[in-house]
Amino acid sequence: MSSTIANGLQKVINMDGAASSNPKLDDLARNTTNSVDQNARITTEQGTKVTNTDDWLAVASENRPGPQLLDDFHGREKIHKFDHERIPERIVHARGAAAFGTFKLYESAADVTKAKVLTDTSRTTPVFLRFSTVLGSRGSGDTVRDVRGFAVKFYTEEGNWDIVGNDIPVFFIQDAIKFSDLIHAGKPEPNTEVPQAQTAHNNFWDFQFLHSETTHMFMWTQSDRGIPRSYRMMQGFGVADTLDNDKGERVFVKFHFTPTLGVHSFVWDEALKLAGQDPDFHRKDLYEAISNGVYPTWKFGIQTLKESQQDDFDFDILDATKVWPEELVPVRYIGELELNRNVDEYFTQTEQVAFRTDQLVPGIGFSDDPLLQGRNFSYLDTQLSRLGINWQELPINRPVCPVMNHQRDGQSRHRITAGPVNYWPNRFSAIPPAEPEEGYVHYPEKVDGWKLKLKSKKFKDHISQAQLFFNSQAPHEKAHMIAALGFELDHCDDPVVYNRIVERLCDIDLELAQAVAEKAGAPTPTKAGKPNHGKKSAALSQTHFQPSEPTIASRRVAILIADGYDPIAYNGVLGALKAAKAFPFTIGPKRQAVFAAGESKSGKGVQPDHHFEGMRSTMFDSIFVPGGEHIQTLKQNGRVVHWVREAFGHLKAIGATGEGVELVRMACAVDGMQFSATNSHDVVDSYGVVTIDTATPESFTEGLKMVKGVKRFIDAYAYNISQHKNYQRELDGLSSLVAY
């Protein structure tokens, strides 16, 4: 253990001392100390070395304690600092995880913008990306059904630029003035302070019905998008901003981040269990991938519309509850974002980072989207209560470019500005405004209208795109939406609430409304509220976003073993998975050594990463069971059988060889399933359960060929892992036949 600690300390020291090509990391190094520096000594905040930090100064003897003294300035300082460690948490997006990375262009977008970060292909721009849930408190779970924040800070040479987005491209409301009502309705109900981080309650769904503009958005949250498998496997979307180029031409723009790993989600039972079994799952998943060098990446794309096209559609392009369908406005991918370094300290970086929708650089502006206009005020305002007036001077928030102005003072001012003047103009002509060609110039937009509280006519259509979204879902996605709405409304005990929501669903699709009514206990409707236009948009389904090539990189695979396992199958699959950058974990009945068939107990054995009771199948993407005499032990362990059944119920890839096929057959023997026959050399792939009774070493060699229908065991098994889940298993009713 001592050598393990020493190795860990050396790794941290080496990391901190490494030269960086990232200017933001170099900037942060000025404020970074090393908590594992074995040559350092404890000091007070003023730098005085402390000889005892365990006992308060007191009038005492060896026989009995006495009164403690205020003379102990170190003790008072230590408690004083502790008492004030917490700052107000965010009202929304309180629970977050983040990482550092870089942004680089494939091609210049100089035809639509003069922003250097989007035109200079030689640049590598440092970024900081914070993911979050929206409704829950800082202590809530990661895998709850919710919108996820996707906020990116670009540390450009022209200043900081923030894209403050979500993993869903639309929002509940059209105007920021309704934001407090929306969040109050979604947060725990005020009389009981429950439920935490859930929308399954009366107030939320009451608000949804009474504000029909929310309809499109709640269809997204009740889809698989509401329970992403990983931050690394979800999209990010910016709001409707503007770009302007050197010719003085302006376009409207929406920003897209598309994960190269594909867009994937949990099934609901899996997400529900994980919220209790491992509430930090998403945080740990992000940290694990980056620590292992499997850096998550997103393609960066833009949708653009000329000003002359603003009125060309049957929806208002500045309505935050609407998408710009990609069939009408294609996404142009121009760059890539990569996350490649974990944070060094959560509070000073992930918690203190502050984003603003109006934090822009030349060439980028904001539109007249009513929701965005209010956010421009709100995001700046909220930083004052959380971090104080000088929040932008905190290390994580400060730019990497020079900062100079005549603003001064305020609480927690860090920057020291020497000189006798703090105003402009001054007698020294010091620090003048920049020339137009080098600074930010607002686009000269012509505005014509009346001062009224009024939305444009196209804002009044709240149903067409909700229909478009539902129509575009794959069969399994539609089934999941029905189940999700059924779950949410089952937790509403006011018939007025769930009856009304079923009424609203009739405006989208009658069969959807009828299925949800049955689950919710509402009267079954017989007539559609509005005709469904039948249109679809492929990019609204997650199935549209798959990796360009099948991959199992960063997929977590549990290998179940006990004493007497087959070492050839175990080592073969372990090696092949590692070579493909998957993350295999050995799970055994104990964390002490487990021995292969024929191996002496005096040998080294294999030390499992976890034991069966310490982990659950929910924490992995797949499970593999090698053959061997250990199967007789595993078959008599109810928890192990549950592991297999639960993975089957959650539609995960399952692999088994030799005697391991017996265990999988026992756990998943339902009508329609097929398994490799005794003494057979043939690989059987049945609904993502891949088995071979008699395997040879060649069945496990590295160099995977992940395509459908392959004959080699490891290829067929890896291909099924790469497909994330086998939804046909669910659609054909097999998963519901197993108790899990």
Side-chain angles (χ1 to χ4, degrees):
M1 177 62 74
S2 60
S3 62
T4 302
I5 294 174
N7 290 338
L9 294 178
Q10 190 60 48
K11 180 179 178 182
V12 173
I13 293 168
N14 291 342
M15 179 186 71
D16 287 347
S20 168
S21 60
N22 185 315
K24 185 57 191 176
L25 296 181
D26 294 339
D27 171 61
L28 291 172
R30 294 188 288 141
N31 294 86
T32 303
T33 57
N34 188 347
S35 67
V36 292
D37 183 354
Q38 294 174 309
N39 295 317
R41 296 295 179 265
I42 292 176
T43 72
T44 66
E45 291 293 331
Q46 289 72 41
T48 303
K49 290 182 180 178
V50 174
T51 57
N52 184 327
T53 191
D54 300 312
D55 303 293
W56 197 290
L57 185 66
V59 178
S61 69
E62 292 183 355
N63 297 321
R64 62 178 58 184
Q68 295 182 331
L69 303 176
L70 290 178
D71 295 26
D72 195 338
F73 57 89
H74 167 60
R76 285 187 288 113
E77 179 188 81
K78 190 175 181 181
I79 293 296
H80 166 72
K81 290 286 289 186
F82 174 75
D83 289 345
H84 297 275
E85 282 182 358
R86 294 294 171 262
I87 62 174
E89 71 173 37
R90 291 167 168 87
I91 303 298
V92 289
H93 298 277
R95 182 172 180 81
F100 293 96
T102 52
F103 172 75
K104 193 165 179 60
L105 292 172
Y106 303 142
E107 64 176 73
S108 171
D111 55 315
V112 292
T113 182
K114 61 188 178 187
K116 297 294 178 56
V117 66
L118 299 180
T119 60
D120 186 351
T121 57
S122 67
R123 286 191 182 188
T124 298
T125 302
V127 300
F128 188 73
L129 199 168
R130 185 181 189 270
F131 307 96
S132 55
T133 53
V134 174
L135 280 179
S137 67
R138 255 187 81 179
S140 58
D142 281 347
T143 62
V144 297
R145 182 176 295 280
D146 200 354
V147 189
R148 297 306 191 282
F150 194 106
V152 189
K153 187 178 291 293
F154 296 79
Y155 301 97
T156 85
E157 295 175 25
E158 293 73 41
N160 288 355
W161 170 41
D162 293 350
I163 295 181
V164 193
N166 287 328
D167 70 327
I168 291 175
V170 293
F171 200 60
F172 291 100
I173 52 177
Q174 297 170 322
D175 193 306
I177 200 169
K178 293 301 300 179
F179 192 69
S180 60
D181 295 306
L182 166 68
I183 299 304
H184 286 169
K187 287 281 191 178
E189 298 190 359
N191 57 332
T192 60
E193 188 59 17
V194 294
Q196 174 61 243
Q198 294 185 61
T199 55
H201 60 100
N202 290 324
N203 284 5
F204 177 81
W205 287 103
D206 183 40
F207 184 93
Q208 301 304 296
F209 176 80
L210 294 172
H211 294 77
S212 58
E213 67 200 67
T214 68
T215 305
H216 188 197
M217 177 64 168
F218 81 60
M219 293 296 287
W220 281 80
T221 62
Q222 299 308 299
S223 75
D224 288 347
R225 304 276 186 159
I227 45 174
R229 155 62 179 85
S230 168
Y231 291 139
R232 303 173 296 111
M233 300 174 191
M234 69 183 196
Q235 290 173 283
F237 300 94
V239 296
D241 278 320
T242 63
L243 301 174
D244 56 278
N245 61 20
D246 285 327
K247 299 177 183 178
E249 300 166 330
R250 187 175 79 149
V251 298
F252 297 99
V253 63
K254 285 200 172 188
F255 300 110
H256 292 245
F257 297 88
T258 301
T260 56
L261 287 174
V263 181
H264 305 292
S265 294
F266 293 121
V267 294
W268 178 233
D269 184 75
E270 185 181 17
L272 199 62
K273 290 175 177 175
L274 270 173
Q277 294 168 348
D278 191 358
D280 304 303
F281 182 87
H282 281 153
R283 291 186 180 194
K284 295 195 290 190
D285 171 87
L286 179 66
Y287 189 92
E288 177 180 71
I290 295 174
S291 295
N292 283 280
V294 184
Y295 300 139
T297 58
W298 287 260
K299 295 188 298 179
F300 175 78
I302 55 175
Q303 284 180 297
T304 58
L305 287 170
K306 297 178 181 178
E307 286 187 294
S308 60
Q309 297 175 286
Q310 181 172 358
D311 300 318
D312 288 356
F313 306 94
D314 59 4
F315 57 91
D316 194 308
I317 67 167
L318 302 183
D319 181 349
T321 68
K322 304 295 192 298
V323 295
W324 299 356
E326 293 186 24
E327 290 79 6
L328 302 178
V329 189
V331 178
R332 171 187 171 189
Y333 287 103
I334 62 171
E336 182 176 87
L337 184 149
E338 175 186 87
L339 296 181
N340 47 36
R341 181 179 171 118
N342 286 310
V343 299
D344 294 308
E345 186 179 28
Y346 184 90
F347 179 80
T348 54
Q349 295 173 335
T350 306
E351 185 65 17
Q352 289 196 140
V353 69
F355 296 93
R356 287 171 51 187
T357 51
D358 62 343
Q359 196 148 276
L360 307 171
V361 292
I364 303 173
F366 39 81
S367 71
D368 294 330
D369 167 2
L371 182 62
L372 173 60
Q373 294 279 315
R375 292 174 74 199
N376 287 342
F377 167 79
S378 178
Y379 280 66
L380 176 58
D381 186 51
T382 193
Q383 310 310 338
L384 303 181
S385 62
R386 292 189 62 245
L387 303 170
I389 190 63
N390 286 305
W391 59 269
Q392 69 277 6
E393 294 186 23
L394 292 169
I396 192 62
N397 294 321
R398 69 188 176 212
V400 295
C401 64
V403 174
M404 182 60 77
N405 53 53
H406 300 290
Q407 287 139 218
R408 293 290 188 274
D409 305 344
Q411 186 177 15
S412 300
R413 174 77 170 183
H414 300 291
R415 190 183 310 122
I416 300 170
T417 309
V421 294
N422 56 0
Y423 55 91
W424 175 261
N426 58 66
R427 62 189 180 278
F428 301 101
S429 297
I431 316 174
E435 295 299 322
E437 59 270 16
E438 61 178 344
Y440 193 93
V441 177
H442 288 273
Y443 180 79
E445 177 188 7
K446 181 181 178 180
V447 180
D448 183 24
W450 299 92
K451 190 181 345 181
L452 296 169
K453 289 203 169 192
L454 181 70
K455 295 186 180 74
S456 67
K457 293 179 181 179
K458 290 182 181 178
F459 273 64
K460 295 179 181 178
D461 177 12
H462 302 153
I463 301 300
S464 295
Q465 288 210 355
Q467 292 177 342
L468 179 71
F469 179 73
F470 182 72
N471 295 346
S472 304
Q473 302 305 293
H476 70 271
E477 292 176 310
K478 289 183 176 179
H480 294 168
M481 291 176 72
I482 292 169
L485 286 161
F487 177 93
E488 295 275 315
L489 297 183
D490 183 69
H491 288 256
C492 298
D493 55 17
D494 189 336
V496 172
V497 173
Y498 55 77
N499 289 348
R500 280 176 164 179
I501 293 299
V502 170
E503 178 185 334
R504 177 62 42 73
L505 295 177
C506 287
D507 291 337
I508 301 171
D509 183 87
L510 180 59
E511 292 185 3
L512 165 67
Q514 291 172 332
V516 174
E518 183 178 356
K519 290 181 175 293
T524 301
T526 58
K527 184 178 179 181
K530 295 180 183 293
N532 187 307
H533 52 63
K535 297 176 183 177
K536 297 181 180 181
S537 178
L540 299 183
S541 168
Q542 289 192 164
T543 60
H544 184 71
F545 299 99
Q546 299 299 318
S548 57
E549 297 290 339
T551 179
I552 61 172
S554 76
R555 290 292 186 170
R556 310 182 91 238
V557 181
I559 303 177
L560 311 185
I561 65 170
D563 288 333
Y565 68 89
D566 173 8
I568 295 176
Y570 170 80
N571 289 312
V573 169
L574 183 71
L577 292 175
K578 286 183 176 180
K581 296 185 178 181
F583 300 157
F585 295 83
T586 300
I587 316 295
K590 55 188 177 180
R591 222 171 173 181
Q592 293 180 344
V594 173
F595 298 91
E599 182 181 5
S600 170
K601 294 293 179 70
S602 61
K604 184 178 180 181
V606 169
Q607 183 171 356
D609 298 289
H610 301 283
H611 59 78
F612 298 134
E613 295 294 339
M615 290 281 134
R616 293 290 188 272
S617 76
T618 51
M619 301 167 193
F620 302 91
D621 294 292
S622 175
I623 62 173
F624 169 66
V625 185
E629 59 195 49
H630 73 139
I631 294 301
Q632 295 306 313
T633 301
L634 297 184
K635 285 168 64 176
Q636 296 175 34
N637 187 318
R639 180 62 69 196
V640 173
V641 175
H642 180 261
W643 266 74
V644 179
R645 286 179 174 161
E646 188 173 53
F648 184 83
H650 292 163
L651 316 179
K652 298 177 181 180
I654 298 173
T657 61
E659 295 84 353
V661 180
E662 298 176 23
L663 172 61
V664 174
R665 181 186 289 112
M666 182 184 80
C668 310
V670 297
D671 289 342
M673 286 298 300
Q674 298 179 352
F675 304 93
S676 180
T678 304
N679 298 324
S680 172
H681 292 269
D682 294 332
V683 173
V684 175
D685 180 352
S686 179
Y687 291 95
V689 178
V690 183
T691 55
I692 182 171
D693 185 79
T694 305
T696 62
E698 291 73 25
S699 302
F700 312 113
T701 53
E702 299 174 12
L704 299 180
K705 183 180 179 182
M706 287 181 279
V707 294
K708 190 173 183 178
V710 289
K711 301 300 182 183
R712 201 167 63 118
F713 172 81
I714 192 62
D715 293 333
Y717 178 47
Y719 172 77
N720 277 279
I721 298 174
S722 77
Q723 298 305 291
H724 181 59
K725 293 187 182 295
N726 189 291
Y727 291 110
Q728 200 60 44
R729 191 189 302 168
E730 177 183 45
L731 292 172
D732 288 352
L734 276 68
S735 59
S736 63
L737 298 177
V738 172
Y740 58 91

